[in-house]
Amino acid sequence: MTGDQTARIFMLTGRFPARDRTKRDPAMSTGSHEHTRMLKTLLGNLDGMVYRCRNDANWTMEFVSDGCRRLTGYHPDDLLLNNRVSYETLTHPDDRKRIRDAVQDAIAQRRRFDIEYRMIRADGEIRWVWERGTGIVDADGKATAVEGIIQDITDRREAVHALREAERRYHSLFHNAVEGIFRTTPEGHYLDANPALARIYGFDSPEEMTDSLKDIRNQLYVDSARREEFVRQIKERGSVTAFEAQVYRKGGDIIWISENARAVFDDDGNILLYEGTVEDITERKLYQARIEQQANYDTLTGLANRSLLNDRLQQAILSAERHGTEVAVAFVDLDRFKFVNDSLGHHFGDRLLKMMSERLRGCVRECDTVARLGGDEFVLLIADDSGHIIVKQIMERVLSAVAEPWVIEEGEFNVTCSIGIAMYPSDGRDAEVLLKNADSAMYRAKEGGGGGFSFFTNDLNVQMTQRLEMESRLRRALERQQFLLHYQPRVDLVSGRIIGTEALIRWRVPEQGMIPPGSFIPLAEETGLIVPIGRWVLVTACAQNKAWQDAGLPPIVVSVNVSARQFRHDNLVETVASVLAQTGLDGRYLEIELTESMVMHDAAKLAAMLVELKKLGVQISVDDFGTGYSSLSYLKRFPVDRLKVDRSFVQDIASDHDDATIVRTIIALGHNLSLKVVAEGVETEEQVNFLRQNHCDEMQGYYFGKPMPAEEFGNLFASTGE
Ligand code: C2E
Ligand code: MG
Ligand code: MG
């Protein structure tokens, strides 16, 4: 293009200075019309400003295209010939020297220049522009002008900047994340991993990790089936979330991880790679396990607790229903556990429970459940098509496992258990009923003397109902005045005189007659009713004794039996003191009968209470002596007055050599401790003779008198007392 042609184009699409316009050669407009129109369109559509300026200190503009206004905010006339503002002042002061150097350099080397710099728009806004141009050389070879184009690149620069920033941030995230980040091939090779992932898997660096982990499925996953599941889910849904698995760390330790990952596809929809994040959730898993353990397992024995048993039982029932099979629920209760607990203390009780748990576990298969409901109550859940025969065999195994001697520092003990079994579906269709029925079957096994098992039968329901009925009747017996006391004489073996009497409770129930204490005292103890009943016995016995004295009979001691529970839950000392005050009986005419198990349990507290009772003048005896585990050395520490040798030893003293020896020994040891010894349940003359020969002090039994109503006792006493 010649200089003239160029000038012509400028004239048509942009602005020359006004004075130049006057110099316009009319001939110029006669150029190719089509050509001109095309250039006009091009320049008009051009993003930016085309210019021609002088190569001077102001970059004095000689021509600017219409883009001027958008680029600079100035009207072309403002800029042309520095009318209002020079281009130099439009450029940012900090960039001016750089611009000039670049332009002059290019001119000197006769090449194009390409620069980016800041421009200050008419509104004061600073924009980034890009300029490309060339020096225009005159006939003398001097560059007098510059021509080129300037475009606003602020947006582009910002985009590039934003992109770079995004990259930088991503990079920093990738490197500094606490979560592991990875990209792998679908075959399980690492393409990329961040330092956190390497750390989680126990490697020093991502490189070390990607070098040594070549087969994720087999090297990393503890269970390779989990990896297969991961791949399956990704293929199916395109991603996995919170996918938990156990993996090996570098050293072989096993940890729990949770993964979020997705598949990246190529244009044809084939999986290119997997990318995702990994979190080490070992801590959380441990915590969850601990919580679950607490919620579902018994802390003492580690066996399933009631709630887990219920879940398992419900599942077993569902599955049995589906398959038409049976489920056995066996209620196991240790015989006389309370006694062990009371006499040896809770510490040994706990040890016994733990050991029994182990034994029970050993009797069933892994898939069966052994649960502890609390106390000494265990439940076995045997959930397959077992049938009575198999269940019986298992129960026999349980009985003999439990009966193995229990050897501890204190000696060797034989513990037995009673088992009640209920079967699904014949004995109940839901968990609650099955457990209840197994429980009542267990009660029947207990009634059989313990150490056995019994299957639930329907008549047990009747028994259970009776027990509940009895409880509710017992609750009302006091207010209905259905209790009474019988008195059994206690006789001095030397003089043959009545020196005391034992008050024994009876329950008179309309239409049922007299119920012996053995049939309701255990229930009263279990329900706590023994506390008010025991108070009633004390008041009645003391009042009666005082009445006999007031009637002029010689004073004797009345003995009252107390249960362990009364010692624990009633302030017995206070009760006794107030009863003595209320009835006016002198404390020395009252005797409290303890059982051996109470002596062994919580000895310090008991000793303190006994000392208080002694201060009231009350006498203390140990009842049923010889049946418990107490040692005489214990007795030394208690202010006890009497030992009552249990009837079971007295029964056969005349015929059984062992029993005779036991009784003789008890008498001798009792005397050594300055205690009086009473023989219980004396029925025959031979027994009386034996006891006399062996210097037993006192006796009680049918031989001299059965327990009898107060009036009868008063008469007997009056007739023999003289
Ligand atoms: P225990 O204190 O050992 O009372 C002696 C038991 O032996 C009484 O049974 C008595 O009737 C019975 N007995 C006495 N002599 C003979 C005999 O020669 N032959 C036979 N075969 N038996 C004889 P009972 O009255 O049935 O009382 C049973 C147990 O109930 C008592 O044993 C005592 O432990 C408890 N008991 C009785 N009354 C009370 C009470 O008011 N409170 C508490 N907590 N327990 C009581
Ligand atoms: Mg007694
Ligand atoms: Mg007794």
Side-chain angles (χ1 to χ4, degrees):
M1 208 182 278
T2 65
D4 279 349
Q5 276 172 322
T6 317
R8 208 179 304 140
I9 297 162
F10 285 166
M11 180 190 74
L12 290 168
T13 59
R15 286 293 171 93
F16 282 103
R19 65 184 162 84
D20 278 27
R21 246 177 268 157
T22 58
K23 285 196 220 156
R24 227 161 42 188
D25 179 356
M28 277 187 184
S29 59
T30 59
S32 156
H33 183 70
E34 187 51 26
H35 217 145
T36 318
R37 194 202 50 77
M38 195 182 83
L39 280 167
K40 183 177 175 180
T41 317
L42 268 176
L43 276 185
N45 286 331
L46 200 67
D47 221 0
M49 174 176 93
V50 174
Y51 69 90
R52 175 192 170 91
C53 70
R54 293 181 195 149
N55 186 12
D56 61 11
N58 283 319
W59 303 117
T60 306
M61 287 294 171
E62 291 181 342
F63 169 82
V64 293
S65 67
D66 287 343
C68 172
R69 206 190 303 246
R70 266 188 59 202
L71 181 75
T72 65
Y74 289 102
H75 190 275
D77 288 339
D78 294 341
L79 212 53
L80 288 171
L81 298 179
N82 307 327
N83 229 2
R84 268 187 63 194
V85 38
S86 76
Y87 192 76
E88 174 75 356
T89 55
L90 252 58
T91 57
H92 194 286
D94 294 348
D95 294 343
R96 281 176 198 159
K97 181 170 179 323
R98 184 165 59 83
I99 298 168
R100 196 160 294 280
D101 289 350
V103 174
Q104 300 312 337
D105 241 31
I107 288 173
Q109 292 171 32
R110 306 234 180 273
R111 59 169 176 78
R112 261 186 356 191
F113 60 89
D114 238 325
I115 38 176
E116 287 181 15
Y117 57 89
R118 284 160 294 179
M119 189 177 88
I120 305 160
R121 280 171 51 93
D123 54 12
E125 195 191 344
I126 294 172
R127 304 286 293 180
W128 274 94
V129 296
W130 163 80
E131 180 175 343
R132 166 177 286 180
T134 12
I136 304 297
V137 182
D138 67 5
D140 306 332
K142 243 182 87 189
T144 51
V146 181
E147 291 174 1
I149 179 166
I150 305 169
Q151 283 181 323
D152 189 319
I153 55 159
T154 313
D155 293 346
R156 203 181 71 206
R157 266 184 77 101
E158 272 169 8
V160 169
H161 185 74
L163 197 67
R164 265 197 218 122
E165 180 60 15
E167 248 169 34
R168 193 192 59 75
R169 266 196 227 135
Y170 164 75
H171 204 73
S172 143
L173 260 175
F174 184 79
H175 275 271
N176 303 320
V178 262
E179 279 195 331
I181 303 172
F182 66 83
R183 293 194 314 149
T184 69
T185 65
E187 293 75 40
H189 302 293
Y190 278 101
L191 296 168
D192 222 350
N194 71 342
L197 189 68
R199 217 164 35 239
I200 290 172
Y201 291 164
F203 294 93
D204 292 334
S205 66
E207 295 71 33
E208 188 202 352
M209 186 186 112
T210 45
D211 283 351
S212 45
L213 276 182
K214 295 290 182 208
D215 176 1
I216 292 178
R217 176 173 170 272
N218 294 309
Q219 281 180 280
L220 187 65
Y221 281 74
V222 172
D223 177 8
S224 56
R226 260 327 253 171
R227 174 65 178 183
E228 281 151 27
E229 174 64 16
F230 175 91
V231 170
R232 193 190 64 74
Q233 284 190 18
I234 280 211
K235 279 193 178 140
E236 200 175 286
R237 307 180 208 148
S239 68
V240 295
T241 35
F243 185 89
E244 296 185 354
Q246 283 185 295
V247 296
Y248 292 112
R249 293 184 89 225
K250 185 181 159 194
D253 290 349
I254 293 176
I255 56 167
W256 274 99
I257 56 161
S258 168
E259 287 182 81
N260 290 315
R262 67 181 196 103
V264 178
F265 297 92
D266 67 12
D267 291 342
D268 301 328
N270 304 313
I271 293 182
L272 268 183
L273 52 93
Y274 300 148
E275 61 179 24
T277 57
V278 172
E279 196 189 343
D280 182 348
I281 54 162
T282 312
E283 290 266 311
R284 194 211 305 162
K285 278 281 179 189
L286 286 177
Y287 181 71
Q288 271 173 1
R290 213 169 58 227
I291 295 285
E292 201 205 334
Q293 176 77 20
Q294 277 165 6
N296 288 321
Y297 294 89
D298 172 48
T299 22
L300 177 69
T301 60
L303 294 178
N305 66 9
R306 189 184 293 271
S307 118
L308 185 59
L309 172 72
N310 267 326
D311 285 357
R312 298 247 175 102
L313 185 49
Q314 262 152 22
Q315 278 167 21
I317 289 172
L318 282 179
S319 138
E321 191 177 23
R322 230 177 292 129
H323 300 108
T325 55
E326 285 185 298
V327 178
V329 178
F331 216 104
V332 181
D333 192 286
L334 300 183
D335 298 325
R336 308 214 317 149
F337 173 72
K338 210 168 99 51
F339 185 77
V340 172
N341 226 9
D342 282 351
S343 49
L344 295 175
H346 287 298
H347 171 64
F348 282 101
D350 286 355
R351 270 175 60 178
L352 177 65
L353 289 173
K354 276 195 211 169
M355 193 209 51
M356 285 305 169
S357 311
E358 287 308 313
R359 290 189 185 175
L360 291 177
R361 237 187 235 154
C363 292
V364 294
R365 300 155 309 169
E366 271 292 300
C367 56
D368 298 324
T369 298
V370 181
R372 177 173 171 240
L373 301 191
D376 59 337
E377 292 178 350
F378 298 90
V379 170
L380 307 180
L381 171 60
I382 297 151
D384 69 355
D385 196 7
S386 348
H388 274 59
I389 309 266
I390 305 282
V391 173
K392 260 188 187 153
Q393 284 170 2
I394 298 176
M395 294 311 137
E396 249 133 36
R397 216 155 58 217
V398 171
L399 286 180
S400 59
V402 169
E404 295 255 310
W406 178 41
V407 187
I408 53 172
E409 302 86 319
E410 267 59 24
E412 193 176 301
F413 295 82
N414 293 300
V415 181
T416 56
C417 67
S418 302
I419 310 175
I421 304 133
M423 305 285 293
Y424 171 90
S426 52
D427 302 333
R429 302 200 135 260
D430 66 51
E432 199 185 328
V433 173
L434 282 169
L435 279 169
K436 196 189 92 206
N437 289 346
D439 189 26
S440 38
M442 188 275 292
Y443 265 98
R444 181 153 70 192
K446 282 245 161 173
E447 278 161 15
F453 60 86
S454 100
F455 279 89
F456 175 81
T457 51
N458 251 320
D459 59 294
L460 274 177
N461 260 336
V462 178
Q463 281 186 27
M464 206 59 189
T465 322
Q466 281 172 352
R467 203 181 117 88
L468 287 174
E469 265 172 25
M470 180 161 171
E471 187 182 325
S472 80
R473 274 189 285 122
L474 192 59
R475 284 185 191 284
R476 292 192 300 263
L478 258 185
E479 61 191 64
R480 292 186 178 173
Q481 304 188 327
Q482 291 173 339
F483 292 119
L484 68 153
L485 294 182
H486 276 184
Y487 296 88
Q488 184 177 34
R490 197 175 79 225
V491 179
D492 185 293
L493 264 167
V494 179
S495 68
R497 285 214 173 143
I498 295 177
I499 46 163
T501 182
E502 178 170 6
L504 295 157
I505 194 168
R506 302 291 178 258
W507 182 15
R508 196 168 38 201
V509 180
E511 279 139 43
Q512 280 189 35
M514 208 72 91
I515 300 180
S519 307
F520 67 88
I521 291 288
L523 185 61
E525 285 175 342
E526 239 173 76
T527 52
L529 286 168
I530 193 67
V531 173
I533 293 176
R535 264 187 232 158
W536 176 86
V537 172
L538 254 180
V539 174
T540 313
C542 289
Q544 180 61 63
N545 200 16
K546 179 76 165 95
W548 283 321
Q549 290 177 8
D550 290 349
L553 290 167
I556 52 166
V557 173
V558 68
S559 306
V560 171
N561 296 283
V562 259
S563 297
R565 188 141 183 178
Q566 283 173 269
F567 259 99
R568 249 173 270 150
H569 298 290
D570 194 20
N571 189 340
L572 198 68
V573 179
E574 230 167 67
T575 308
V576 168
S578 82
V579 166
L580 290 175
Q582 178 192 335
T583 57
L585 185 73
D586 191 322
R588 65 195 148 123
Y589 298 120
L590 172 65
E591 182 178 70
I592 298 292
E593 292 195 3
L594 315 173
T595 55
E596 271 183 282
S597 58
M598 285 154 73
V599 177
M600 296 288 289
H601 180 71
D602 205 353
K605 189 177 163 205
L606 181 68
M609 284 180 81
L610 294 185
V611 168
E612 290 302 306
L613 283 176
K614 293 287 332 171
K615 282 188 193 154
L616 296 171
V618 175
Q619 305 193 36
I620 314 285
S621 67
V622 179
D623 203 355
D624 305 339
F625 191 79
T627 55
Y629 295 122
S630 72
S631 69
L632 287 166
S633 67
Y634 255 95
L635 290 179
K636 243 187 340 202
R637 296 172 41 198
F638 297 108
V640 171
D641 302 280
R642 251 179 215 90
L643 295 183
K644 299 185 80 171
V645 184
D646 193 66
R647 181 157 58 91
S648 57
F649 301 111
V650 175
Q651 219 164 20
D652 298 324
I653 35 175
S655 54
D656 188 320
H657 179 71
D658 286 349
D659 281 354
T661 311
I662 290 175
V663 173
R664 252 190 242 116
T665 312
I666 295 177
I667 295 171
L669 288 172
H671 285 169
N672 268 341
L673 290 166
S674 313
L675 307 177
K676 289 241 188 280
V677 180
V678 188
E680 279 192 299
V682 180
E683 291 180 355
T684 65
E685 189 151 3
E686 289 97 76
Q687 292 166 340
V688 178
N689 290 336
F690 176 93
L691 294 166
R692 278 219 180 95
Q693 277 159 26
N694 289 286
H695 311 293
C696 185
D697 304 281
E698 298 162 8
M699 67 162 184
Q700 195 179 322
Y702 293 174
Y703 179 75
F704 192 84
K706 289 192 173 186
M708 57 193 92
E711 198 188 319
E712 210 177 297
F713 179 84
N715 293 338
L716 174 77
F717 187 25
S719 67
T720 59
E722 311 311 312

